[in-house]
């Protein structure tokens, strides 16, 4: 049975199909981000069902390793737990962020299918907050710098705008409406400053075109016999340029 394609898989598939097949490793940053989402969007009870907090200095501590080996839950350090609570409290104290994240449908999943040639591709996404009354899709991101000068760099670097274009595409397929994407960026360090960002029309159009192009490529790849599918990086020769700093060293 064909899997329902989500954005995380598509993003890794673009780099190299084998990376998508192997799955994305769970870094500490990803673990903390997931913990923030659960506490903020689903509450303390759900958090305690999924995470366990231990008061040790690092993940190299013997007590941490012993707990991680026997616990069915993800393990969060006490210092990380205090940070996660601080992020939750900062969002609750921020009128706009609270309104965007705590209203509407939280942790909302959507499923749809699209036709490519004679085939149908099943797709899915999970949105932090979907607000039908306001036609909004809202995503929560943790960051080191949520300022207008720096966070747009992270939007580009980590593909956040492409992710929102994928979500927007899915909701349009389901409802016929275009929902406006918003990103709520919260800094990890106190006082957990918050920046809220929309994406201009040119950026969204660029990202919608990227999603369309990659879905067409993915469909063509899926049509290939498994024995002939390229699983690594693009086999063509690429001319590349050194980063700008290399010219000044």
């Amino acid at each position: 049975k064909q899997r329902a394609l989500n954005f995380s898989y598509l993003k890794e598939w673009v780099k190299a199909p084998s990376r998508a097949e192997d799955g994305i490793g769970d870094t500490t940053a990803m673990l903390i981000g997931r913990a923030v989402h659960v506490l903020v969007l689903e509450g303390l009870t759900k958090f305690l069902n999924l995470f366990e907090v231990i008061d040790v200095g690092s993940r190299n501590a013997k007590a941490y390793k012993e707990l991680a080996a026997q616990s069915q839950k993800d393990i969060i350090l006490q210092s990380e737990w205090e940070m996660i609570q601080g992020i939750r409290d900062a969002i609750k104290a921020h009128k706009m962020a609270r309104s965007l994240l705590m209203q509407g449908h939280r942790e909302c999943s959507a499923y749809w299918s699209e036709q490519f040639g004679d085939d149908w591709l099943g797709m899915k996404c999970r949105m932090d907050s979907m607000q039908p009354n306001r036609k909004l899709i809202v995503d929560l991101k943790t960051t080191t710098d949520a300022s207008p000068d720096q966070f747009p760099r992270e939007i580009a670097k980590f593909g956040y705008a492409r992710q929102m274009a994928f979500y927007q595409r899915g909701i349009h397929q389901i409802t016929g409406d275009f929902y406006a994407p918003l990103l709520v960026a919260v800094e990890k360090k106190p006082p957990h400053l918050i920046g809220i960002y929309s994406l201009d029309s040119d950026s969204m159009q660029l990202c919608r075109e990227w999603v369309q192009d990659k879905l067409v490529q993915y469909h063509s790849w899926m049509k290939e016999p498994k024995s002939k599918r390229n699983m690594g990086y693009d086999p063509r020769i690429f001319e590349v340029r050194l980063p700008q700093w290399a010219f000044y060293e």
Side-chain angles (χ1 to χ4, degrees):
K1 185 179 180 181
Q2 181 190 323
R3 78 180 77 213
L5 180 66
N6 63 18
F7 179 78
S8 295
Y9 185 92
L10 181 65
K11 184 172 73 168
E12 292 303 309
W13 177 88
V14 168
K15 297 175 186 176
S18 61
R19 290 175 57 151
E21 291 294 328
D22 290 342
I24 304 167
D26 200 6
T27 65
T28 300
M30 291 169 65
L31 173 65
I32 293 172
R34 192 166 68 249
V36 168
H37 278 71
V38 171
L39 184 64
V40 170
L41 301 172
E42 301 184 85
L44 180 60
T45 300
K46 183 65 177 287
F47 179 91
L48 294 175
N49 286 337
L50 297 176
F51 297 92
E52 195 161 347
V53 179
I54 184 171
D55 191 4
V56 295
S58 78
R59 286 180 166 76
N60 292 320
K62 181 181 178 182
Y64 175 90
K65 293 179 179 179
E66 290 175 348
L67 181 61
Q70 67 185 27
S71 178
Q72 299 298 311
K73 301 178 182 180
D74 288 317
I75 313 301
I76 295 290
L77 303 181
Q78 178 66 29
S79 58
E80 294 166 347
W81 170 231
E82 291 168 2
M83 176 187 70
I84 292 164
Q85 292 179 93
I87 290 172
R88 175 201 58 192
D89 294 343
I91 290 170
K92 284 186 175 181
H94 191 290
K95 184 177 179 180
M96 181 60 72
R98 184 177 70 246
S99 170
L100 291 172
L101 289 167
M102 307 311 292
Q103 295 180 13
H105 305 296
R106 285 176 279 171
E107 291 289 354
C108 178
S109 296
Y111 301 85
W112 72 100
S113 294
E114 294 186 38
Q115 190 169 12
F116 291 83
D118 296 328
D119 306 305
W120 288 86
L121 286 181
M123 297 183 227
K124 65 180 180 180
C125 67
R126 188 169 177 84
M127 297 160 286
D128 292 342
S129 176
M130 175 190 174
Q131 301 195 15
N133 292 341
R134 299 157 84 179
K135 298 290 189 293
L136 293 176
I137 305 167
V138 186
D139 215 42
L140 170 62
K141 302 295 184 186
T142 54
T143 181
T144 56
D145 190 334
S147 70
D149 288 338
Q150 292 300 317
F151 191 68
R153 299 172 186 264
E154 292 202 12
I155 294 176
K157 179 180 178 180
F158 296 113
Y160 295 157
R162 292 171 174 175
Q163 179 183 17
M164 299 306 279
F166 187 86
Y167 292 178
Q168 188 185 61
R169 181 186 182 108
I171 297 306
H172 181 253
Q173 288 285 330
I174 295 166
T175 68
D177 293 323
F178 274 108
Y179 279 50
L182 293 175
L183 294 164
V184 177
V186 188
E187 292 181 355
K188 296 175 186 177
K189 291 185 178 180
H192 306 295
L193 299 178
I194 295 173
I196 302 174
Y197 301 98
S198 63
L199 295 155
D200 72 348
S201 58
D202 288 344
S203 298
M204 285 309 300
Q205 184 59 32
L206 180 71
C207 293
R208 283 193 291 266
E209 290 171 359
W210 182 91
V211 170
Q212 172 65 22
D213 181 58
K214 301 313 175 190
L215 288 175
V216 169
Q217 291 180 27
Y218 177 77
H219 169 252
S220 297
W221 180 82
M222 287 289 291
K223 294 283 285 184
E224 291 280 338
K226 286 189 176 181
S227 61
K228 293 185 178 181
R229 290 179 188 170
N230 173 50
M231 297 300 293
Y233 297 122
D234 192 315
R236 294 174 295 172
I237 297 172
F238 291 89
E239 181 182 85
V240 298
R241 179 179 173 84
L242 293 176
Q244 198 65 25
W245 57 259
F247 290 85
Y248 296 97
E249 279 203 333

